[in-house]
Amino acid sequence: YSRYTKVLDSYYEENDPEFVTDRTRCKEILQNEDDLAEIVQLVGKDSLGEAEKITLEVAKIIKDDYLAQNGFTSYDMFCPFWKTTAMLRNIITFYNEAQKKVEKSTADNKVTWSMIRNHMQPTIEKITRMKFEEPSEGQEAIIAKLDALNEEICAMFRSLGE
């Protein structure tokens, strides 16, 4: 987090216009997770709705697999802006698609976090492993992989419940 986010907005707008929106959504997810943590402590995770369970799980991905860094590794000691934005875009796409799927489900065909997790386990694993892509492979190669993952996320949500 930075106190200088507004100063950098023009740079973000020029280099990746979606980044500011994704960053804002990321902050909202983390704030909601913070609010939900109190509820979970009092009454347990099972008492949460499906949308809240998704928020908790995506916040965990953000904290453990996106924000956490290991400066002693070649893939993580330096993360170029293009890799950062593509990774965040995939996480936010997953979150948005999961929320939409739960929201649009009916009582007869209810979609739960458990269903999403079971259906998309390999894709979720790929999301958690994005950080291990080596920037030295080059922007074009990494962006192609992360864009393909974004397409996979959308395709897996389309196929959920079929």
Side-chain angles (χ1 to χ4, degrees):
Y1 297 105
S2 173
R3 294 179 188 202
Y4 305 103
T5 55
K6 296 288 184 209
V7 173
L8 295 172
D9 281 350
S10 61
Y11 172 82
Y12 298 145
E13 228 14 79
E14 183 180 317
N15 290 284
D16 191 331
E18 294 176 40
F19 178 71
V20 174
T21 304
D22 290 344
R23 181 191 64 201
T24 301
R25 186 68 159 187
C26 180
K27 287 180 181 180
E28 290 169 1
I29 293 166
L30 293 173
Q31 181 59 53
N32 290 340
E33 184 255 355
D34 195 43
D35 297 340
L36 291 170
E38 293 178 41
I39 295 168
V40 170
Q41 276 189 325
L42 292 173
V43 291
K45 195 174 186 176
D46 293 336
S47 66
L48 296 176
E50 297 306 318
E52 288 82 15
K53 290 176 185 174
I54 292 167
T55 298
L56 288 179
E57 295 300 324
V58 172
K60 183 177 185 275
I61 290 170
I62 291 169
K63 290 192 297 188
D64 295 349
D65 303 307
Y66 179 72
L67 293 176
Q69 289 183 286
N70 181 352
F72 297 108
T73 61
S74 58
Y75 60 83
D76 213 14
M77 75 170 79
F78 170 74
C79 188
F81 183 66
W82 48 264
K83 181 181 172 189
T84 300
T85 58
M87 288 171 50
L88 184 59
R89 185 170 303 113
N90 285 343
I91 295 167
I92 299 302
T93 298
F94 178 84
Y95 176 80
N96 289 339
E97 293 297 318
Q99 292 290 3
K100 276 194 272 186
K101 203 68 167 173
V102 166
E103 184 181 304
K104 291 182 179 181
S105 68
T106 62
D108 297 337
N109 194 14
K110 186 160 178 65
V111 174
T112 64
W113 164 245
S114 179
M115 288 173 63
I116 292 169
R117 184 183 62 234
N118 291 337
H119 177 72
M120 298 187 68
Q121 190 57 48
T123 305
I124 294 169
E125 178 68 21
K126 290 177 186 177
I127 292 168
T128 64
R129 298 192 55 75
M130 292 184 296
K131 74 186 298 173
F132 299 112
E133 295 295 338
E134 289 280 353
S136 61
E137 290 181 34
Q139 180 175 353
E140 193 174 306
I142 301 297
I143 292 299
K145 288 179 187 179
L146 296 179
D147 285 350
L149 177 56
N150 194 281
E151 291 172 21
E152 179 181 329
I153 291 165
C154 293
M156 290 299 288
F157 274 108
R158 281 191 300 272
S159 72
L160 182 62
E162 289 181 352

